[in-house]
Amino acid sequence: MLPMAACAGSMDSTQLKGNHMKKAMLGALLTMAAMGTQAATQSDVEASAIVNGSIVLAQDGTVQTAVIDNPAAYGQAIADMVHNAALQWRFKPVLQDGQPVMAKASMHARVVLKRMPGGNYTARIKGVTFGDYDPNDTSALRGDKRILPHYPQEAIRARVQGTVYLALHVDRSGHVTQAVAEQVNLGVQGQEAVLTHYREVLARSALSTIREWTFLPPTTGKLAKDDSWTAHVPVAYNLNVLGAPKSSHVWQTYVPGPYIPAPWVDKPDVNAADAVADDGVQTDGAGPTPLPAASNHG
């Protein structure tokens, strides 16, 4: 069985609602309600979690099995939703030496929870990425020089937290030639003008540092002969109390920012921009390739 590297993509959205879901994510719902009272509109606020698991692909590209890691962490209803959706996905057959083989890939599904008119809640799978970043994987981009960005003092004083989702264009020398902040999600409430300002503050900080990063280009696999590559990297800005343990909450509540496509990407995927797991580096084109019927058209 061939293990698969990272690949970004998005899948069919699935909706779920009801009291069972509300009980599973009570903390997220309460935070959403609190933020919604001060956001531009309550519908701007959403919560999401990265649901981790794995899939096994049969030789014909169908999903043979799907496993969700620690389903209780997300709520059984959410775990079941992702599991059932994964079994319906279809991929191009994975080839090894020209022959189709079974393949296993880890998956990271971004499940988004939103409050709908009337007070009900829905959950959907917004995007999925496959594989885990492996610094020893020569079939995808690997980090070489990686400098952490400075937390802007202006954002610290205002207690602003958020995540900047970057798209990078990397040439054969491993240098970043172009970079775009595809989306900035903020974990604070406020009027749109204020949120727009702090999205720009965090994006500038991330972009100024990311251009100094260098990567090791792929030397094996289907991407090795490419002239350039696109990588997706999340940069998180979190205010932590000194000495406090890292939060174990899987559900994060925030106000999502607008999507800005990378100009060099032929078919940018609005739904996969913020589906990258924290601390990951996803290389476009690596890993299993979803067939069009499995793509998110919503």
Side-chain angles (χ1 to χ4, degrees):
M1 187 176 293
L2 182 67
M4 299 306 300
C7 173
S10 62
M11 301 297 173
D12 288 333
S13 296
T14 305
Q15 290 195 337
L16 179 70
K17 53 188 176 181
N19 291 330
H20 184 51
M21 183 187 69
K22 294 179 182 179
K23 292 179 181 178
M25 294 161 291
L26 180 60
L29 299 179
L30 291 174
T31 306
M32 287 178 68
M35 287 184 64
T37 60
Q38 300 183 51
T41 66
Q42 195 170 54
S43 61
D44 292 338
V45 181
E46 65 185 34
S48 73
I50 296 292
V51 178
N52 299 308
S54 61
I55 56 174
V56 173
L57 304 183
Q59 293 181 3
D60 63 356
T62 58
V63 177
Q64 190 174 72
T65 61
V67 176
I68 305 300
D69 300 336
N70 191 16
Y74 320 104
Q76 191 62 49
I78 296 296
D80 290 344
M81 181 185 73
V82 176
H83 174 267
N84 294 336
L87 293 176
Q88 305 302 314
W89 299 340
R90 298 292 183 271
F91 298 81
K92 291 183 179 179
V94 177
L95 303 180
Q96 188 175 39
D97 299 326
Q99 299 298 317
V101 296
M102 294 180 64
K104 182 177 182 179
S106 60
M107 67 174 176
H108 310 283
R110 171 78 68 178
V111 175
V112 173
L113 182 69
K114 285 189 72 71
R115 185 173 183 177
M116 308 302 290
N120 215 333
Y121 291 86
T122 63
R124 67 186 179 94
I125 301 171
K126 182 181 179 183
V128 184
T129 57
F130 300 98
D132 296 310
Y133 174 67
D134 181 356
N136 298 314
D137 180 10
T138 58
S139 67
L141 288 169
R142 293 168 291 155
D144 183 23
K145 184 178 75 171
R146 190 168 179 171
I147 303 171
L148 294 178
H150 294 290
Y151 209 129
Q153 287 298 317
E154 179 183 356
I156 293 176
R157 288 192 296 268
R159 308 299 294 173
V160 171
Q161 304 184 90
T163 302
V164 181
Y165 295 92
L166 300 172
L168 315 178
H169 186 262
V170 181
D171 65 15
R172 286 205 66 86
S173 69
H175 290 89
V176 176
T177 59
Q178 298 182 71
V180 169
E182 291 186 296
Q183 189 165 328
V184 182
N185 295 343
L186 296 179
V188 295
Q189 65 274 7
Q191 296 301 310
E192 186 55 39
V194 176
L195 298 181
T196 297
H197 172 72
Y198 283 108
R199 288 190 190 108
E200 294 173 351
V201 168
L202 295 186
R204 282 197 303 268
S205 169
L207 287 169
S208 65
T209 301
I210 206 75
R211 292 189 174 95
E212 300 179 30
W213 286 23
T214 58
F215 294 84
L216 299 175
T219 55
T220 61
K222 58 186 178 181
L223 302 180
K225 295 183 180 180
D226 289 356
D227 293 327
S228 61
W229 303 269
T230 295
H232 300 272
V233 179
V235 178
Y237 292 85
N238 296 317
L239 295 169
N240 298 315
V241 177
L242 185 63
K246 184 178 180 180
S247 173
S248 60
H249 297 305
V250 298
W251 288 96
Q252 304 295 325
T253 306
Y254 53 88
V255 179
Y259 173 72
I260 302 174
W264 65 88
V265 177
D266 290 336
K267 296 180 180 179
D269 190 345
V270 61
N271 290 312
D274 61 349
V276 182
D278 290 345
D279 301 323
V281 176
Q282 300 284 8
T283 305
D284 275 4
T289 303
L291 294 175
S295 298
N296 187 339
H297 303 292

